[in-house]
PDB file of all heavy atoms in Angstrom:
ATOM      1  N   GLY A   1      15.252  92.658-121.206  1.00  0.00           N
ATOM      2  CA  GLY A   1      15.291  93.152-119.840  1.00  0.00           C
ATOM      3  C   GLY A   1      14.606  92.202-118.864  1.00  0.00           C
ATOM      4  O   GLY A   1      14.771  92.317-117.661  1.00  0.00           O
ATOM      5  N   LYS A   2      13.826  91.243-119.399  1.00  0.00           N
ATOM      6  CA  LYS A   2      13.154  90.243-118.570  1.00  0.00           C
ATOM      7  C   LYS A   2      13.748  88.872-118.856  1.00  0.00           C
ATOM      8  O   LYS A   2      14.228  88.604-119.959  1.00  0.00           O
ATOM      9  CB  LYS A   2      11.657  90.146-118.908  1.00  0.00           C
ATOM     10  CG  LYS A   2      10.830  91.311-118.507  1.00  0.00           C
ATOM     11  CD  LYS A   2       9.361  91.017-118.780  1.00  0.00           C
ATOM     12  CE  LYS A   2       8.530  92.205-118.347  1.00  0.00           C
ATOM     13  NZ  LYS A   2       7.107  91.878-118.293  1.00  0.00           N
ATOM     14  N   VAL A   3      13.662  87.998-117.883  1.00  0.00           N
ATOM     15  CA  VAL A   3      13.915  86.584-118.109  1.00  0.00           C
ATOM     16  C   VAL A   3      12.615  86.039-118.688  1.00  0.00           C
ATOM     17  O   VAL A   3      11.526  86.364-118.204  1.00  0.00           O
ATOM     18  CB  VAL A   3      14.283  85.863-116.801  1.00  0.00           C
ATOM     19  CG1 VAL A   3      14.366  84.360-117.006  1.00  0.00           C
ATOM     20  CG2 VAL A   3      15.594  86.415-116.240  1.00  0.00           C
ATOM     21  N   VAL A   4      12.720  85.230-119.737  1.00  0.00           N
ATOM     22  CA  VAL A   4      11.537  84.707-120.427  1.00  0.00           C
ATOM     23  C   VAL A   4      11.618  83.190-120.527  1.00  0.00           C
ATOM     24  O   VAL A   4      12.676  82.641-120.834  1.00  0.00           O
ATOM     25  CB  VAL A   4      11.425  85.307-121.857  1.00  0.00           C
ATOM     26  CG1 VAL A   4      10.330  84.625-122.661  1.00  0.00           C
ATOM     27  CG2 VAL A   4      11.193  86.800-121.791  1.00  0.00           C
ATOM     28  N   LEU A   5      10.507  82.551-120.255  1.00  0.00           N
ATOM     29  CA  LEU A   5      10.355  81.142-120.581  1.00  0.00           C
ATOM     30  C   LEU A   5       9.403  81.100-121.766  1.00  0.00           C
ATOM     31  O   LEU A   5       8.201  81.346-121.621  1.00  0.00           O
ATOM     32  CB  LEU A   5       9.802  80.336-119.408  1.00  0.00           C
ATOM     33  CG  LEU A   5       9.686  78.836-119.688  1.00  0.00           C
ATOM     34  CD1 LEU A   5      11.060  78.216-119.948  1.00  0.00           C
ATOM     35  CD2 LEU A   5       8.990  78.127-118.538  1.00  0.00           C
ATOM     36  N   LEU A   6       9.950  80.855-122.946  1.00  0.00           N
ATOM     37  CA  LEU A   6       9.180  80.809-124.183  1.00  0.00           C
ATOM     38  C   LEU A   6       8.749  79.370-124.422  1.00  0.00           C
ATOM     39  O   LEU A   6       9.591  78.472-124.504  1.00  0.00           O
ATOM     40  CB  LEU A   6      10.035  81.306-125.348  1.00  0.00           C
ATOM     41  CG  LEU A   6       9.463  81.162-126.753  1.00  0.00           C
ATOM     42  CD1 LEU A   6       8.186  81.977-126.919  1.00  0.00           C
ATOM     43  CD2 LEU A   6      10.509  81.567-127.787  1.00  0.00           C
ATOM     44  N   ASN A   7       7.442  79.164-124.546  1.00  0.00           N
ATOM     45  CA  ASN A   7       6.911  77.824-124.737  1.00  0.00           C
ATOM     46  C   ASN A   7       6.233  77.721-126.093  1.00  0.00           C
ATOM     47  O   ASN A   7       5.270  78.434-126.373  1.00  0.00           O
ATOM     48  CB  ASN A   7       5.916  77.488-123.613  1.00  0.00           C
ATOM     49  CG  ASN A   7       5.336  76.101-123.756  1.00  0.00           C
ATOM     50  OD1 ASN A   7       4.244  75.942-124.280  1.00  0.00           O
ATOM     51  ND2 ASN A   7       6.072  75.108-123.299  1.00  0.00           N
ATOM     52  N   PHE A   8       6.756  76.843-126.946  1.00  0.00           N
ATOM     53  CA  PHE A   8       6.152  76.533-128.243  1.00  0.00           C
ATOM     54  C   PHE A   8       5.175  75.382-128.025  1.00  0.00           C
ATOM     55  O   PHE A   8       5.545  74.360-127.442  1.00  0.00           O
ATOM     56  CB  PHE A   8       7.227  76.113-129.255  1.00  0.00           C
ATOM     57  CG  PHE A   8       8.160  77.210-129.653  1.00  0.00           C
ATOM     58  CD1 PHE A   8       9.366  77.390-128.994  1.00  0.00           C
ATOM     59  CD2 PHE A   8       7.840  78.062-130.701  1.00  0.00           C
ATOM     60  CE1 PHE A   8      10.239  78.405-129.367  1.00  0.00           C
ATOM     61  CE2 PHE A   8       8.703  79.077-131.082  1.00  0.00           C
ATOM     62  CZ  PHE A   8       9.902  79.254-130.417  1.00  0.00           C
ATOM     63  N   TRP A   9       3.955  75.533-128.513  1.00  0.00           N
ATOM     64  CA  TRP A   9       2.922  74.537-128.278  1.00  0.00           C
ATOM     65  C   TRP A   9       1.908  74.553-129.412  1.00  0.00           C
ATOM     66  O   TRP A   9       1.981  75.381-130.309  1.00  0.00           O
ATOM     67  CB  TRP A   9       2.245  74.795-126.929  1.00  0.00           C
ATOM     68  CG  TRP A   9       1.378  76.013-126.931  1.00  0.00           C
ATOM     69  CD1 TRP A   9       1.786  77.316-126.855  1.00  0.00           C
ATOM     70  CD2 TRP A   9      -0.037  76.054-127.070  1.00  0.00           C
ATOM     71  NE1 TRP A   9       0.706  78.158-126.935  1.00  0.00           N
ATOM     72  CE2 TRP A   9      -0.424  77.414-127.052  1.00  0.00           C
ATOM     73  CE3 TRP A   9      -1.016  75.076-127.199  1.00  0.00           C
ATOM     74  CZ2 TRP A   9      -1.752  77.810-127.164  1.00  0.00           C
ATOM     75  CZ3 TRP A   9      -2.343  75.479-127.299  1.00  0.00           C
ATOM     76  CH2 TRP A   9      -2.698  76.831-127.275  1.00  0.00           C
ATOM     77  N   ALA A  10       0.935  73.641-129.351  1.00  0.00           N
ATOM     78  CA  ALA A  10      -0.163  73.603-130.326  1.00  0.00           C
ATOM     79  C   ALA A  10      -1.389  72.979-129.670  1.00  0.00           C
ATOM     80  O   ALA A  10      -1.272  72.199-128.717  1.00  0.00           O
ATOM     81  CB  ALA A  10       0.235  72.796-131.556  1.00  0.00           C
ATOM     82  N   THR A  11      -2.556  73.307-130.196  1.00  0.00           N
ATOM     83  CA  THR A  11      -3.814  72.819-129.626  1.00  0.00           C
ATOM     84  C   THR A  11      -3.966  71.304-129.751  1.00  0.00           C
ATOM     85  O   THR A  11      -4.662  70.684-128.948  1.00  0.00           O
ATOM     86  CB  THR A  11      -5.023  73.497-130.295  1.00  0.00           C
ATOM     87  OG1 THR A  11      -4.953  73.289-131.714  1.00  0.00           O
ATOM     88  CG2 THR A  11      -5.051  74.987-129.997  1.00  0.00           C
ATOM     89  N   TRP A  12      -3.332  70.698-130.740  1.00  0.00           N
ATOM     90  CA  TRP A  12      -3.459  69.260-130.968  1.00  0.00           C
ATOM     91  C   TRP A  12      -2.439  68.442-130.158  1.00  0.00           C
ATOM     92  O   TRP A  12      -2.434  67.228-130.188  1.00  0.00           O
ATOM     93  CB  TRP A  12      -3.285  68.941-132.449  1.00  0.00           C
ATOM     94  CG  TRP A  12      -2.079  69.594-133.064  1.00  0.00           C
ATOM     95  CD1 TRP A  12      -2.063  70.756-133.782  1.00  0.00           C
ATOM     96  CD2 TRP A  12      -0.722  69.157-132.988  1.00  0.00           C
ATOM     97  NE1 TRP A  12      -0.766  71.074-134.155  1.00  0.00           N
ATOM     98  CE2 TRP A  12       0.074  70.095-133.682  1.00  0.00           C
ATOM     99  CE3 TRP A  12      -0.093  68.065-132.405  1.00  0.00           C
ATOM    100  CZ2 TRP A  12       1.454  69.978-133.801  1.00  0.00           C
ATOM    101  CZ3 TRP A  12       1.287  67.945-132.528  1.00  0.00           C
ATOM    102  CH2 TRP A  12       2.035  68.895-133.226  1.00  0.00           C
ATOM    103  N   CYS A  13      -1.581  69.110-129.399  1.00  0.00           N
ATOM    104  CA  CYS A  13      -0.456  68.481-128.700  1.00  0.00           C
ATOM    105  C   CYS A  13      -0.866  68.025-127.299  1.00  0.00           C
ATOM    106  O   CYS A  13      -1.095  68.852-126.414  1.00  0.00           O
ATOM    107  CB  CYS A  13       0.693  69.498-128.641  1.00  0.00           C
ATOM    108  SG  CYS A  13       2.070  69.055-127.574  1.00  0.00           S
ATOM    109  N   ALA A  14      -0.968  66.703-127.084  1.00  0.00           N
ATOM    110  CA  ALA A  14      -1.365  66.164-125.775  1.00  0.00           C
ATOM    111  C   ALA A  14      -0.388  66.540-124.654  1.00  0.00           C
ATOM    112  O   ALA A  14      -0.824  66.945-123.578  1.00  0.00           O
ATOM    113  CB  ALA A  14      -1.544  64.653-125.861  1.00  0.00           C
ATOM    114  N   PRO A  15       0.941  66.438-124.861  1.00  0.00           N
ATOM    115  CA  PRO A  15       1.852  66.861-123.788  1.00  0.00           C
ATOM    116  C   PRO A  15       1.731  68.358-123.472  1.00  0.00           C
ATOM    117  O   PRO A  15       1.929  68.767-122.329  1.00  0.00           O
ATOM    118  CB  PRO A  15       3.243  66.530-124.336  1.00  0.00           C
ATOM    119  CG  PRO A  15       3.023  65.486-125.371  1.00  0.00           C
ATOM    120  CD  PRO A  15       1.670  65.792-125.961  1.00  0.00           C
ATOM    121  N   CYS A  16       1.354  69.155-124.458  1.00  0.00           N
ATOM    122  CA  CYS A  16       1.147  70.588-124.228  1.00  0.00           C
ATOM    123  C   CYS A  16      -0.021  70.804-123.277  1.00  0.00           C
ATOM    124  O   CYS A  16       0.029  71.659-122.384  1.00  0.00           O
ATOM    125  CB  CYS A  16       0.892  71.325-125.537  1.00  0.00           C
ATOM    126  SG  CYS A  16       2.231  71.197-126.747  1.00  0.00           S
ATOM    127  N   ARG A  17      -1.077  70.027-123.464  1.00  0.00           N
ATOM    128  CA  ARG A  17      -2.269  70.112-122.614  1.00  0.00           C
ATOM    129  C   ARG A  17      -1.894  69.786-121.165  1.00  0.00           C
ATOM    130  O   ARG A  17      -2.353  70.431-120.223  1.00  0.00           O
ATOM    131  CB  ARG A  17      -3.335  69.144-123.129  1.00  0.00           C
ATOM    132  CG  ARG A  17      -4.626  69.142-122.340  1.00  0.00           C
ATOM    133  CD  ARG A  17      -5.658  68.222-122.990  1.00  0.00           C
ATOM    134  NE  ARG A  17      -6.120  68.763-124.247  1.00  0.00           N
ATOM    135  CZ  ARG A  17      -7.145  69.611-124.375  1.00  0.00           C
ATOM    136  NH1 ARG A  17      -7.813  69.984-123.315  1.00  0.00           N
ATOM    137  NH2 ARG A  17      -7.494  70.052-125.559  1.00  0.00           N
ATOM    138  N   LYS A  18      -1.041  68.797-120.991  1.00  0.00           N
ATOM    139  CA  LYS A  18      -0.603  68.386-119.654  1.00  0.00           C
ATOM    140  C   LYS A  18       0.275  69.466-119.006  1.00  0.00           C
ATOM    141  O   LYS A  18       0.160  69.729-117.810  1.00  0.00           O
ATOM    142  CB  LYS A  18       0.173  67.071-119.776  1.00  0.00           C
ATOM    143  CG  LYS A  18       0.765  66.577-118.486  1.00  0.00           C
ATOM    144  CD  LYS A  18       1.584  65.317-118.731  1.00  0.00           C
ATOM    145  CE  LYS A  18       2.395  64.971-117.490  1.00  0.00           C
ATOM    146  NZ  LYS A  18       3.430  63.991-117.787  1.00  0.00           N
ATOM    147  N   GLU A  19       1.124  70.111-119.791  1.00  0.00           N
ATOM    148  CA  GLU A  19       2.122  71.052-119.278  1.00  0.00           C
ATOM    149  C   GLU A  19       1.575  72.463-119.010  1.00  0.00           C
ATOM    150  O   GLU A  19       2.035  73.159-118.108  1.00  0.00           O
ATOM    151  CB  GLU A  19       3.260  71.137-120.308  1.00  0.00           C
ATOM    152  CG  GLU A  19       4.331  72.132-119.985  1.00  0.00           C
ATOM    153  CD  GLU A  19       5.401  72.170-121.045  1.00  0.00           C
ATOM    154  OE1 GLU A  19       5.074  72.399-122.235  1.00  0.00           O
ATOM    155  OE2 GLU A  19       6.573  71.979-120.684  1.00  0.00           O
ATOM    156  N   MET A  20       0.588  72.887-119.779  1.00  0.00           N
ATOM    157  CA  MET A  20       0.125  74.279-119.742  1.00  0.00           C
ATOM    158  C   MET A  20      -0.327  74.762-118.360  1.00  0.00           C
ATOM    159  O   MET A  20       0.016  75.884-117.974  1.00  0.00           O
ATOM    160  CB  MET A  20      -0.970  74.472-120.792  1.00  0.00           C
ATOM    161  CG  MET A  20      -1.222  75.891-121.185  1.00  0.00           C
ATOM    162  SD  MET A  20       0.138  76.725-122.051  1.00  0.00           S
ATOM    163  CE  MET A  20       0.162  75.905-123.629  1.00  0.00           C
ATOM    164  N   PRO A  21      -1.062  73.971-117.563  1.00  0.00           N
ATOM    165  CA  PRO A  21      -1.431  74.465-116.230  1.00  0.00           C
ATOM    166  C   PRO A  21      -0.219  74.760-115.340  1.00  0.00           C
ATOM    167  O   PRO A  21      -0.242  75.701-114.545  1.00  0.00           O
ATOM    168  CB  PRO A  21      -2.296  73.331-115.654  1.00  0.00           C
ATOM    169  CG  PRO A  21      -2.885  72.681-116.869  1.00  0.00           C
ATOM    170  CD  PRO A  21      -1.769  72.726-117.893  1.00  0.00           C
ATOM    171  N   ALA A  22       0.846  73.984-115.470  1.00  0.00           N
ATOM    172  CA  ALA A  22       2.064  74.239-114.683  1.00  0.00           C
ATOM    173  C   ALA A  22       2.733  75.534-115.144  1.00  0.00           C
ATOM    174  O   ALA A  22       3.269  76.289-114.319  1.00  0.00           O
ATOM    175  CB  ALA A  22       3.029  73.063-114.801  1.00  0.00           C
ATOM    176  N   LEU A  23       2.690  75.800-116.440  1.00  0.00           N
ATOM    177  CA  LEU A  23       3.237  77.066-116.946  1.00  0.00           C
ATOM    178  C   LEU A  23       2.437  78.244-116.387  1.00  0.00           C
ATOM    179  O   LEU A  23       3.005  79.271-116.008  1.00  0.00           O
ATOM    180  CB  LEU A  23       3.227  77.084-118.475  1.00  0.00           C
ATOM    181  CG  LEU A  23       4.243  76.183-119.157  1.00  0.00           C
ATOM    182  CD1 LEU A  23       3.910  76.041-120.637  1.00  0.00           C
ATOM    183  CD2 LEU A  23       5.647  76.722-118.968  1.00  0.00           C
ATOM    184  N   GLN A  24       1.112  78.080-116.325  1.00  0.00           N
ATOM    185  CA  GLN A  24       0.282  79.144-115.747  1.00  0.00           C
ATOM    186  C   GLN A  24       0.625  79.366-114.283  1.00  0.00           C
ATOM    187  O   GLN A  24       0.740  80.500-113.824  1.00  0.00           O
ATOM    188  CB  GLN A  24      -1.206  78.828-115.876  1.00  0.00           C
ATOM    189  CG  GLN A  24      -2.043  79.887-115.143  1.00  0.00           C
ATOM    190  CD  GLN A  24      -3.506  79.742-115.348  1.00  0.00           C
ATOM    191  OE1 GLN A  24      -3.973  79.989-116.436  1.00  0.00           O
ATOM    192  NE2 GLN A  24      -4.234  79.361-114.297  1.00  0.00           N
ATOM    193  N   GLN A  25       0.813  78.280-113.540  1.00  0.00           N
ATOM    194  CA  GLN A  25       1.145  78.418-112.118  1.00  0.00           C
ATOM    195  C   GLN A  25       2.486  79.138-111.950  1.00  0.00           C
ATOM    196  O   GLN A  25       2.630  80.003-111.082  1.00  0.00           O
ATOM    197  CB  GLN A  25       1.181  77.053-111.444  1.00  0.00           C
ATOM    198  CG  GLN A  25       1.351  77.142-109.942  1.00  0.00           C
ATOM    199  CD  GLN A  25       1.264  75.783-109.269  1.00  0.00           C
ATOM    200  OE1 GLN A  25       0.778  74.809-109.841  1.00  0.00           O
ATOM    201  NE2 GLN A  25       1.735  75.718-108.040  1.00  0.00           N
ATOM    202  N   LEU A  26       3.464  78.811-112.787  1.00  0.00           N
ATOM    203  CA  LEU A  26       4.760  79.487-112.745  1.00  0.00           C
ATOM    204  C   LEU A  26       4.599  80.980-113.024  1.00  0.00           C
ATOM    205  O   LEU A  26       5.164  81.825-112.322  1.00  0.00           O
ATOM    206  CB  LEU A  26       5.716  78.850-113.763  1.00  0.00           C
ATOM    207  CG  LEU A  26       7.119  79.436-113.833  1.00  0.00           C
ATOM    208  CD1 LEU A  26       7.894  79.178-112.550  1.00  0.00           C
ATOM    209  CD2 LEU A  26       7.866  78.838-115.034  1.00  0.00           C
TER     210      LEU A  26
END
């Protein structure tokens, strides 16, 4: 019933660290 942006990530992933604040802002 919702549109979902599912993000697969890990604590050791440098690109994940860069991307996560933008996901929070969204």
Side-chain angles (χ1 to χ4, degrees):
K2 290 186 179 193
V3 172
V4 171
L5 183 63
L6 172 63
N7 180 263
F8 292 94
W9 71 283
T11 56
W12 48 262
C13 169
C16 300
R17 180 176 291 272
K18 176 183 169 194
E19 176 181 56
M20 199 66 70
L23 288 167
Q24 174 173 290
Q25 187 175 343
L26 180 66

